[in-house]
Amino acid sequence: MAKINHSLLIKNGRVVDPANGIDQISDVLIVDDHIAAVAPSIDFQAHETIDATGQIVVPGLIDMHVHFREPGQEYKEDFESGARAAAAGGFTTVATMPNTKPVVDNPYLVEAMIDRAAEVGLINIKIIGALTKGQQGEQLAELAQMDEVGAVAFSDDGHFVDSAKMFLNALDYLKPLDKIVICHEEETTLVKGGSMNESLNSARLGLKGRPAIAEDIAIARDCLLADYAGARVHFAHVSSARSVDIIRATKMRGVRVSAECTPQHLTLTDDIVDPSDATTKINPPLRTQEDCDALLAGLIDGTINCIVTDHSPHAIYEKELPYDQAPSGFPGLETSLAVLLTELVSTGRMTLVNLIEKMTWAPAELFGLDAGTLSVGSKADVAIFDPALEWTVDAKKFYSKAKFSPFDGKKLTGRVTHTICGGKLVYKL
């Protein structure tokens, strides 16, 4: 029998593991870096015990869309601060987007980022490579070489690939590799200079709009190209009701498309936009309640596969610029689960099991990750949260370097108390 270096027993928690259809009061035994047992009662003298009575025990959360700003913009965020923010939010696996400085568009940078993630070591940080060189949309990046060294997907996130021919070339190239292309979908000419959803609100506030039709057109084009190429296409941060309809119809035809949405697009609308406060400026922008409702319906019926944060940190002085000049995005890892528990689960609009599935097993299965489950023998990535714990968001206390949020000051119910990655406790409230 192999020597046990460390063991951790989680007692009396409500274990929710959608991958295995588990939702019951159970114990979870972790031995070294793997799940050793999940059962109603485990009699084992562990090195460490966590009493999870009244709490919920789930697989470590997965976020396939974050911006940690390495390399080149570490003043906004770096792998260490981003990883600590992720752990505080219950995330044990994240994937970083390549729109850094320089762009991660070659195997040498992918390898360097993988090494950097291992150096930080807190959580699992996966690397997404750029689709085109410099994300310029003009020449394919070194896709096969990046795949060989460990890129989990490819994206020009932050940029729509204007050339249908270039996008089709990428799909044809990646199809034999069975890799997903993650698409930022906004038809460029329709959103240039816009800073919020095009609506009566944008007209009233005097801000140039980014119309939802720009997203709809881009998604419609790429649904057709995905069908034509037989390739895997994933739509980033979907925000429009019509886009949900287009994706649903495309999936029903058997086309290999998938989609994600964010907590902010599920729970916030353009009614809260204040030109003097750019924390609400995101890309794509906050839309209408009708769009929020359509996204939720798409999540529940499976049209939208998973939830991501699109964690997008910036320096505070950048977000204090005038609304139309400030960069888009805000840090979301530390508030994501609590916002969704408060706004969707506590209100009865979504079940807890469905929410956890969209944040664990669904992205793991979609992207082929060894994660998202509490199966015996699997890697011991676990999050524990108290669903009744009330707290008020204080952005100044974020682990992220970005100390701002549209949820700042909001009272939420439900908070992560422990995060375990590879059998190691990496966060405790």
Side-chain angles (χ1 to χ4, degrees):
M1 183 175 177
K3 180 185 175 183
I4 296 174
N5 294 310
H6 185 263
S7 56
L8 170 61
L9 182 59
I10 304 168
K11 296 286 293 182
N12 306 316
R14 177 185 169 188
V15 176
V16 176
D17 180 12
N20 290 301
I22 296 173
D23 181 6
Q24 64 184 33
I25 304 299
S26 288
D27 297 346
V28 177
L29 175 62
I30 296 170
V31 172
D32 294 330
D33 62 352
H34 67 275
I35 304 291
V38 179
S41 181
I42 297 174
D43 184 13
F44 187 88
Q45 200 66 34
H47 294 96
E48 190 176 355
T49 300
I50 296 173
D51 182 3
T53 301
Q55 299 196 62
I56 297 173
V57 181
V58 301
L61 305 183
I62 298 170
D63 187 351
M64 295 303 293
H65 191 141
V66 303
H67 301 269
F68 280 178
R69 307 306 188 194
E70 281 199 44
Q73 294 182 308
E74 288 85 353
Y75 71 95
K76 296 176 186 264
E77 193 82 287
D78 57 35
F79 272 26
E80 185 165 352
S81 62
R84 292 193 182 283
F91 292 91
T92 55
T93 299
V94 302
T96 61
M97 285 295 175
N99 53 337
T100 48
K101 294 185 178 181
V103 169
V104 181
D105 62 0
N106 64 72
Y108 310 105
L109 273 174
V110 171
E111 286 186 303
M113 294 298 95
I114 290 173
D115 289 346
R116 172 68 175 135
E119 178 187 339
V120 171
L122 280 169
I123 63 166
N124 308 301
I125 301 176
K126 306 296 184 180
I127 309 301
I128 295 170
L131 192 66
T132 66
K133 288 190 175 181
Q135 294 189 313
Q136 297 296 308
E138 296 173 357
Q139 187 177 356
L140 291 183
E142 298 174 47
L143 303 176
Q145 294 89 338
M146 287 190 285
D147 175 53
E148 285 178 6
V149 298
V152 295
F154 299 95
S155 180
D156 273 3
D157 184 54
H159 307 271
F160 176 59
V161 181
D162 288 299
S163 167
K165 177 60 176 172
M166 178 57 60
F167 188 69
L168 183 59
N169 288 345
L171 297 186
D172 287 339
Y173 192 93
L174 288 171
K175 183 182 176 182
L177 303 178
D178 199 35
K179 285 292 184 179
I180 290 177
V181 178
I182 304 173
C183 302
H184 181 116
E185 301 287 31
E186 288 181 295
E187 202 286 327
T188 311
T189 63
L190 292 174
V191 298
K192 189 175 182 180
S195 55
M196 69 171 291
N197 184 45
E198 184 179 87
S199 63
L200 289 175
N201 283 331
S202 63
R204 177 174 57 84
L205 296 172
L207 292 171
K208 184 173 173 55
R210 301 174 79 96
I213 192 66
E215 179 178 303
D216 306 334
I217 289 170
I219 283 181
R221 185 201 79 171
D222 289 347
C223 279
L224 292 170
L225 290 173
D227 190 5
Y228 183 73
R232 303 179 70 189
V233 171
H234 180 80
F235 301 115
H237 41 50
V238 176
S239 68
S240 150
R242 189 184 286 109
S243 290
V244 176
D245 290 341
I246 294 168
I247 296 165
R248 182 182 291 114
T250 302
K251 281 190 164 188
M252 289 176 68
R253 297 203 315 274
V255 183
R256 297 200 299 167
V257 296
S258 55
E260 65 189 38
C261 65
T262 71
Q264 48 270 29
H265 289 113
L266 283 163
T267 65
L268 301 177
T269 70
D270 64 357
D271 289 333
I272 69 168
V273 172
D274 177 352
S276 68
D277 178 10
T279 59
T280 62
K281 185 180 180 183
I282 60 176
N283 186 17
L286 299 176
R287 303 217 189 267
T288 67
Q289 188 61 52
E290 178 187 0
D291 295 306
C292 292
D293 294 343
L295 290 174
L296 180 57
L299 260 184
I300 292 170
D301 71 17
T303 300
I304 296 175
N305 299 69
C306 55
I307 296 170
V308 302
T309 65
D310 192 11
H311 177 85
S312 300
H314 299 285
I316 192 68
Y317 68 83
E318 294 172 317
K319 290 298 276 190
E320 289 175 344
L321 292 168
Y323 203 94
D324 59 351
Q325 298 174 32
S328 296
F330 66 89
L333 285 164
E334 295 171 70
T335 55
S336 175
L337 177 62
V339 165
L340 296 169
L341 290 170
T342 302
E343 299 295 336
L344 300 185
V345 176
S346 295
T347 58
R349 302 181 69 206
M350 189 175 191
T351 68
L352 176 66
V353 172
N354 199 0
L355 175 64
I356 298 305
E357 180 186 9
K358 299 295 185 182
M359 301 181 78
T360 58
W361 178 240
E365 187 177 38
L366 182 65
F367 286 90
L369 305 178
D370 181 17
T373 173
L374 298 178
S375 298
V376 172
S378 65
K379 189 177 178 187
D381 294 346
V382 183
I384 306 173
F385 62 90
D386 184 340
L389 183 59
E390 296 182 347
W391 61 292
T392 300
V393 178
D394 183 352
K396 293 184 179 64
K397 295 181 178 178
F398 281 174
Y399 286 89
S400 170
K401 291 183 180 181
K403 312 294 186 185
F404 61 89
S405 169
F407 298 110
D408 194 21
K410 183 176 177 62
K411 291 184 178 179
L412 300 175
T413 302
R415 192 166 191 181
V416 172
T417 59
H418 303 77
T419 303
I420 299 154
C421 186
K424 297 178 181 177
L425 185 65
V426 293
Y427 171 79
K428 183 178 180 181
L429 183 62

